[in-house]
Amino acid sequence: MWPGNNLTQLLGIDVPIIQAPMILQAPLVPLAAAVSNAGGMGSLGCAEMSVSELEQRISQMRTATQSPFNLNFFLHQTPQYDPQLDAVARDLVRSLYDAHNLTLPHDASSTDLQTFGDETLAVLMRERPGMVSFHFGCPTAHVLDALHSVGIITAATATTVREAIALEKAGVMIVVAQGWEAGGHRGSFETNFEDTGVGTLALVPQIVDAVNVPVIAAGGIGDGRAIAATRALGASGVWMGTAFLSCQEAPITALHRTAILSATDEDTHLSRAFSGRPCRARQTPYSQHMACGRSNLPDFPLMYNYSGPLKKLGIDSGNLDLQFLLYGQAAGLNRELTAAQLIAELALETARVFADIAG
């Protein structure tokens, strides 16, 4: 394995690989626990969990692993309903609903996705996971002070140098530098996240130069070559999501697994069609149709009202073209292994790259 560094020491892990938090149809506990047990850090995407479910998943993680793990939350703002944007979205989706004999929702004015609040914070302070990370924003001083007071390490996503500096100034302990290549939602919060995108190779060294906290590289990292590259650029570790989707412990359907294992570098695009916020996902007729004219759409997460029924139909019918599959541009490098085997392979590949460079 690699020698320890500032990140492994801070997090109490053996290898600087963090399995990125993801929200899938089934609980991610087996995968996250397997990653932590293999010496990396497993993560759970907790944004859609109720307080009671959060407590349940933490308990399951504690049963499955004695090693540190990460819990991730969204810091999105309460969405503002705009009837005009809603009308645009309804007009765009109507033909797709008609084609599949679905009833068009009345509007996209409601959401069950709650913002991060004090009740959740109280659970975290009581349970004390190894790390708590945030997406879509900068945590408040109240939140950071509370988490730090009980010894919890904090991290948050930056997609630009400006965002990284804001996170460090706020007191976040680790910056996750998310490149344009990354699968899933963009973590932007201080920039026009629709149009601004910096690739991992350009983003990581500039953030490393701009802040004095550990930087974790995210986006387009699929094997040891990419890990070695980001380490050479100054990153203390890597944040990998797509690479773990084809692990045997990942709770995905056979259809989803086939899509990942047959993916190419051109499969995905950035789309607001699924949630109202840009995310990198597999291109589908729905997302391509919604991109026509690049119309403004209802805010995150209100667009789930329109994409959700189509996604459900896709899952129920086995129609891949109706599903919402988040993965990054390096999915073509994925392999079918256990989480422990993948981490061991990544460590070996990275060591070989550095050995080759050293001559």
Side-chain angles (χ1 to χ4, degrees):
M1 293 298 186
W2 296 297
N5 64 11
N6 59 346
L7 183 68
T8 57
Q9 292 169 11
L10 182 63
L11 296 179
I13 59 179
D14 296 327
V15 292
I17 297 177
I18 290 84
Q19 165 250 314
M22 296 173 281
I23 299 175
L24 301 175
Q25 294 300 304
L28 210 62
V29 169
L31 174 61
V35 172
S36 289
N37 286 334
M41 177 170 270
S43 303
L44 298 182
C46 304
E48 296 183 358
M49 294 183 190
S50 65
V51 169
S52 60
E53 184 181 1
L54 175 61
E55 292 173 327
Q56 177 186 7
R57 299 304 178 209
I58 293 173
S59 176
Q60 291 172 347
M61 284 293 293
R62 290 260 161 77
T63 299
T65 182
Q66 301 302 307
S67 299
F69 55 88
N70 168 46
L71 302 178
N72 180 264
F73 299 88
F74 292 166
L75 292 179
H76 64 287
Q77 301 298 312
T78 301
Q80 299 298 312
Y81 175 65
D82 185 327
Q84 292 183 322
L85 293 183
D86 193 13
V88 170
R90 284 177 62 80
D91 286 344
L92 283 170
V93 302
R94 191 182 306 277
S95 62
L96 294 170
Y97 270 73
D98 290 345
H100 295 285
N101 297 314
L102 290 174
T103 300
L104 188 63
H106 181 264
D107 60 34
S109 62
S110 63
T111 177
D112 293 328
L113 186 59
Q114 301 300 309
T115 55
F116 185 88
D118 284 343
E119 196 174 0
T120 298
L121 180 60
V123 172
L124 297 176
M125 293 182 68
R126 182 172 67 251
E127 296 291 346
R128 302 187 184 188
M131 183 165 76
V132 170
S133 60
F134 298 96
H135 209 53
F136 301 155
C138 183
T140 64
H142 165 68
V143 169
L144 290 173
D145 288 347
L147 295 174
H148 295 165
S149 72
V150 294
I152 297 173
I153 306 301
T154 55
T157 304
T159 61
T160 64
V161 170
R162 183 154 50 98
E163 290 176 346
I165 292 172
L167 293 177
E168 183 186 35
K169 284 183 177 179
V172 172
M173 300 172 71
I174 297 171
V175 170
V176 180
Q178 185 193 35
W180 186 250
E181 304 93 329
H185 282 94
R186 299 277 297 151
S188 306
F189 62 93
E190 277 208 351
T191 187
N192 180 345
F193 51 77
E194 179 78 68
D195 298 317
T196 301
V198 184
T200 304
L201 195 67
L203 182 65
V204 168
Q206 293 184 78
I207 288 183
V208 168
D209 288 348
V211 301
N212 294 306
V213 297
V215 175
I216 300 174
I221 302 168
D223 61 12
R225 292 171 297 181
I227 294 174
T230 60
R231 294 296 301 279
L233 295 172
S236 296
V238 292
W239 183 275
M240 302 173 69
T242 300
F244 285 100
L245 279 175
S246 54
C247 284
Q248 293 175 16
E249 299 92 343
I252 62 176
T253 64
L255 195 64
H256 191 169
R257 189 176 299 276
T258 298
I260 291 289
L261 291 172
S262 60
T264 73
D265 58 324
E266 296 181 296
D267 273 9
T268 65
H269 66 162
L270 208 66
S271 175
R272 298 181 65 228
F274 299 103
S275 70
R277 192 177 181 100
C279 61
R280 183 168 295 285
R282 180 181 181 274
Q283 296 189 61
T284 67
Y286 165 75
S287 62
Q288 292 168 338
H289 173 74
M290 297 297 285
C292 294
R294 293 191 64 184
S295 302
N296 287 327
L297 298 171
D299 287 342
F300 176 91
L302 298 180
M303 269 304 294
Y304 283 133
N305 287 285
Y306 291 130
S307 65
L310 290 166
K311 173 185 174 182
K312 183 179 185 303
L313 176 61
I315 293 172
D316 292 345
S317 64
N319 185 342
L320 195 61
D321 283 343
L322 292 175
Q323 296 186 35
F324 178 23
L325 302 184
L326 299 174
Y327 56 86
Q329 290 182 327
L333 299 173
N334 270 45
R335 51 202 119 167
E336 280 192 288
L337 299 168
T338 66
Q341 288 170 339
L342 177 59
I343 288 176
E345 285 289 316
L346 292 172
L348 182 60
E349 290 168 2
T350 305
R352 283 174 175 166
V353 171
F354 282 126
D356 288 345
I357 292 172

